[in-house]
Amino acid sequence: MKELVFEINSNEEIWGLFDKSISNIFIHKFCPVDSIHWWKTDLKLENGLLLKDCSVRGMEFDLQTDLNGLKQILEMNTNQLRIYQFDKLIPDSLTLEQLPEKAKFQILKQNGLKHFFWIDFEIITISSFDEKFIKAIEENPLFAERIKERKNWVQQGA
């Protein structure tokens, strides 16, 4: 996998980085609320049971959505997101926690992974099996200088 790391300035910039031809989005350990506090909500469960007006906190779950859902999630200003773009839906049996770290990305590639985005506050790491995709981002005038600065910063051991 090829990888880029650089600073990002806005959700619009993040949105501009995604491959719009791939609509299967998987967000690992999505946490819709960054702070730990209780809030009231209705909770619909798989079996149809609805828990009305319950209090929840510390919610974290895996989420599959499409590009429209991703755009809404980016607008939530979540500080940390692990976003995977797949060319197909991931199977129920595939859980990231059970994958061996050394083979994780190869197994995910076999299941259709194209690109991975790790958003950590103002830093984004983009990993992809598609060298053309990475090269296009590197050559994008909006990001090219930031990518070079980050590479220089890392090479200098900062």
Side-chain angles (χ1 to χ4, degrees):
M1 270 188 120
K2 295 285 185 177
E3 183 177 279
L4 296 174
V5 180
F6 57 98
E7 290 184 26
I8 203 77
N9 294 326
S10 69
N11 291 332
E12 292 78 27
E13 285 184 0
I14 295 169
W15 174 248
L17 292 166
F18 285 91
D19 184 338
K20 304 305 186 296
S21 70
I22 301 172
S23 189
N24 294 307
I25 304 298
F26 170 69
I27 301 176
H28 183 55
K29 293 188 175 185
F30 176 61
C31 184
V33 179
D34 288 331
S35 62
I36 301 295
H37 66 276
W38 294 97
W39 76 91
K40 292 279 189 187
T41 190
D42 293 341
L43 194 60
K44 184 177 179 185
L45 304 177
E46 183 180 26
N47 64 5
L49 178 65
L50 180 66
L51 301 174
K52 289 196 168 276
D53 199 31
C54 57
S55 295
V56 297
R57 73 172 179 186
M59 265 181 130
E60 180 181 273
F61 48 88
D62 289 345
L63 174 73
Q64 286 196 90
T65 189
D66 58 14
L67 288 169
N68 292 327
L70 174 62
K71 187 151 180 68
Q72 292 175 350
I73 289 165
L74 291 175
E75 291 168 1
M76 293 173 71
N77 290 321
T78 303
N79 292 327
Q80 295 179 315
L81 291 169
R82 296 170 199 87
I83 304 169
Y84 299 78
Q85 267 192 307
F86 284 84
D87 63 6
K88 57 187 174 185
L89 292 175
I90 63 170
D92 290 345
S93 59
L94 183 65
T95 56
L96 271 57
E97 291 81 9
Q98 295 176 347
L99 298 178
E101 196 59 39
K102 288 184 177 184
K104 180 171 90 172
F105 281 109
Q106 283 305 318
I107 293 168
L108 293 174
K109 181 180 181 182
Q110 292 169 358
N111 283 276
L113 177 64
K114 296 299 181 188
H115 316 296
F116 170 66
F117 302 80
W118 166 230
I119 301 165
D120 189 17
F121 293 85
E122 73 279 354
I123 303 296
I124 189 164
T125 302
I126 304 169
S127 304
S128 179
F129 293 106
D130 184 346
E131 290 186 33
K132 290 179 185 176
F133 179 76
I134 293 291
K135 189 166 181 66
I137 295 170
E138 283 180 312
E139 293 175 353
N140 182 318
L142 186 60
F143 305 116
E145 190 58 38
R146 287 186 242 167
I147 292 167
K148 286 179 193 171
E149 286 175 11
R150 187 69 176 190
K151 285 181 181 177
N152 289 338
W153 183 76
V154 169
Q155 288 173 350
Q156 293 171 1

